[in-house]
Amino acid sequence: MSIIVRLDRVLADRKMQLNQLAEKVDISIVNLSNLKTEKVKAIRFSTLNAICKALDCQPGDILEYVEDIEESK
């Protein structure tokens, strides 16, 4: 199982930079960058809630499940 983070796509759709989101959500740019580049293993619901509120989107717009090829066999 793989969870793909689509934060960059949603940011582009909203014409927003990562630093602008960091200010709105009060999260460091480093933490958001780590999330965007999928270097994190977990995300708090409160963080996800704040991001969705700031971007006016649903969690499914940011996170996507993709089945691994090995698992589908």
Side-chain angles (χ1 to χ4, degrees), residues 47-60 62:
T47 302
L48 185 59
N49 182 61
I51 291 171
C52 288
K53 185 175 180 179
L55 294 175
D56 189 29
C57 67
Q58 295 293 314
I62 297 171

Side-chain angles (χ1 to χ4, degrees), residues 12 18-19 25 28-30 36 38 47 53 55 60 69-70:
L18 198 62
N19 61 339
V25 182
S28 74
I29 294 174
V30 172
K36 188 175 112 172
E38 301 179 30
T47 302
K53 185 175 180 179
L55 294 175
I69 294 171
E70 295 85 35

